[in-house]
Amino acid sequence: PLTDRGDAGLGCKQENSGHPMLIGILQTGLAPDALAPEMGDYPDMFARLLDGHGFTFRTYKVVDGEFPKGVKDCEGWLITGSRHGVYEDHPWIPPLEQFIRDAFTAHVPVVGICFGHQIVAQAMGGKVERYANGWAVGATDYAFQGETITLNAWHRDQVVKAPAGAKVIASNDFCANAALLYDDRALTVQAHPE
């Protein structure tokens, strides 16, 4: 479990309504050309990963400047990976950071994967940089609160300083801040479960 309550800590259970939870996928990049023909784009990969778990999806291509009207347009948010660095000068990064802070304030759950992990940390006051020791690539073991979990890694950038209030819930020798939990509002992971 990721919290003392024994759940993911993000209030994503379907007990109260019986309807599927609408997840907004904030697409921050395009899947690599070598993967796209067989695997689809990032939203397709996440839809397959989460199929059968009580979710429906709506995609916003924030990488192209397409944003939701507000943080309550969906019941939760998933921020994808990207080839871009969170510290790069792209016109869509500052509004995405503000969106993350607004979702946090409104207690709308956010999940960030790879770039999503990094942008949430940066938006909340952490530090992300190109890691001096190079890349993490392929199947990689992470210590998740005493349990070893193997996930696919593909990154050189990483969170080098977690934001105040973020709890480190996974790490390894290469990536000290591999997964962060922000109370019941956000869960972010450097590696790729999709």
Side-chain angles (χ1 to χ4, degrees):
L2 299 179
T3 71
D4 296 332
R5 296 190 316 261
D7 59 25
L10 294 176
C12 295
K13 295 185 179 181
Q14 300 300 307
E15 302 164 357
N16 57 353
S17 65
H19 76 283
M21 183 178 187
L22 178 58
I23 301 296
I25 297 178
L26 302 176
Q27 187 176 357
T28 60
L30 304 175
D33 290 341
L35 289 179
E38 182 180 340
M39 303 297 294
D41 211 347
Y42 291 129
D44 304 314
M45 293 178 205
F46 283 109
R48 273 194 309 278
L49 175 70
L50 299 171
D51 185 41
H53 293 281
F55 302 110
T56 58
F57 303 95
R58 182 179 299 152
T59 298
Y60 299 87
K61 281 191 159 185
V62 297
V63 69
D64 293 334
E66 178 191 347
F67 280 85
K69 291 180 182 151
V71 297
K72 300 247 178 165
D73 286 2
C74 293
E75 296 169 90
W77 299 98
L78 188 151
I79 307 171
T80 70
S82 178
R83 66 180 179 86
H84 301 291
V86 301
Y87 45 76
E88 293 174 1
D89 184 23
H90 298 288
W92 52 272
I93 288 181
L96 178 57
E97 289 177 309
Q98 186 59 54
F99 186 90
I100 291 163
R101 289 187 290 269
D102 292 346
F104 192 84
T105 299
H107 287 263
V108 180
V110 174
V111 171
I113 306 299
C114 195
F115 177 95
H117 167 72
Q118 297 164 12
I119 195 73
V120 171
Q122 182 170 286
M124 300 307 294
K127 182 166 178 54
V128 177
E129 61 185 37
R130 178 158 287 184
Y131 193 53
N133 291 333
W135 288 82
V137 177
T140 304
D141 290 339
Y142 297 92
F144 268 87
Q145 297 186 315
E147 183 179 344
T148 300
I149 297 176
T150 304
L151 293 170
N152 214 14
W154 188 269
H155 68 96
R156 184 170 182 187
D157 296 346
Q158 61 178 273
V159 177
V160 295
K161 179 182 172 228
K167 177 182 178 186
V168 177
I169 60 168
S171 62
N172 63 21
D173 291 340
F174 184 80
C175 187
N177 300 299
L180 299 172
L181 184 66
Y182 300 77
D183 60 49
D184 64 347
R185 298 183 239 191
L187 170 67
T188 65
V189 181
Q190 179 60 66
H192 291 271
E194 77 280 16

